[in-house]
Amino acid sequence: MNWLAHFYLAGPDPHARVGALLGDFHRGPVAALADPVWRVAVREHRAIDAWTDAHPVVARSRARLAGPLRRYAGIVVDVAYDHCLARDWAHWSAQPLAGFVEAVHAALRADYDRLPPRMRSSVDYLLQSGALLSYREAAGVERALAGIATRLHRPSPLAAAGPAVAALLPAFAGDFAEFFPDLIA
């Protein structure tokens, strides 16, 4: 799953939300983290990723991508699923998405000085870009994929994938609606 879903699944604890993002940046043993809340959150992040990657509905979503995008199917599906979560946020949470995102931003700002240096640029991006809120729109998906393409070590088709992914969003939405309750459970 991508970041919005990880923040959502982390629950209301601000440190757990930060730890949920840390799961994409911390390499090595979880026991090396000094913060016990972060240790739990990173373990949960890793478990969510492993369970998600093995889920048959997610495999079906990845299989929807053809050609050069197939190699990046995990990334595309993560972003598409965050779009589905953001678009239908009121179905999953009583808290408005804007309020949730502001709480996530506040947690990230509060723990900023404790973050690994390589994580700070991603946090800066989240705080300045409005990315989590932009996932509600297909154009936000397109911007997210283009941004990810700039961070990859080799050229990828992600920057130009917007139209192909937009055409698949209805199918991804059906997959997400089937998958996400399983993940929450």
Side-chain angles (χ1 to χ4, degrees):
M1 297 302 297
N2 210 335
W3 292 344
L4 181 61
H6 276 294
F7 289 134
Y8 173 86
L9 294 167
D13 183 293
H15 296 299
R17 288 177 176 170
V18 174
L21 181 61
L22 183 62
D24 274 342
F25 295 92
H26 177 73
R27 302 293 176 244
V30 175
L33 293 167
D35 188 316
V37 174
W38 282 5
R39 286 194 300 267
V40 170
V42 169
R43 280 188 193 101
E44 183 174 276
H45 179 113
R46 291 176 179 176
I48 288 167
D49 283 353
W51 192 85
T52 296
D53 289 345
H55 199 282
V57 174
V58 176
R60 182 174 66 216
S61 288
R62 288 191 307 260
R64 294 182 189 287
L65 294 157
L69 279 179
R70 172 77 51 108
R71 177 182 179 131
Y72 301 93
I75 294 169
V76 171
V77 170
D78 279 353
V79 173
Y81 279 15
D82 263 6
H83 163 72
C84 296
L85 176 58
R87 188 195 64 198
D88 297 329
W89 184 261
H91 177 78
W92 303 104
S93 177
Q95 181 181 22
L97 180 59
F100 176 82
V101 168
E102 183 49 44
V104 167
H105 286 185
L108 293 169
R109 284 191 294 271
D111 281 347
Y112 189 85
D113 291 338
R114 298 184 330 142
L115 301 178
R118 65 186 210 91
M119 183 176 164
R120 290 181 186 166
S121 63
S122 293
V123 169
D124 291 340
Y125 170 78
L126 279 179
L127 295 174
Q128 295 166 10
S129 70
L132 296 175
L133 286 175
S134 77
Y135 283 154
R136 292 179 292 197
E137 307 298 328
V141 171
E142 197 169 324
R143 281 191 302 278
L145 293 172
I148 292 167
T150 67
R151 295 189 300 275
L152 297 177
H153 297 305
R154 64 176 76 159
S156 79
L158 290 177
V165 173
L168 290 170
L169 286 177
F172 288 145
D175 293 345
F176 178 78
E178 184 179 345
F179 161 75
F180 202 56
D182 288 353
L183 180 60
I184 291 170

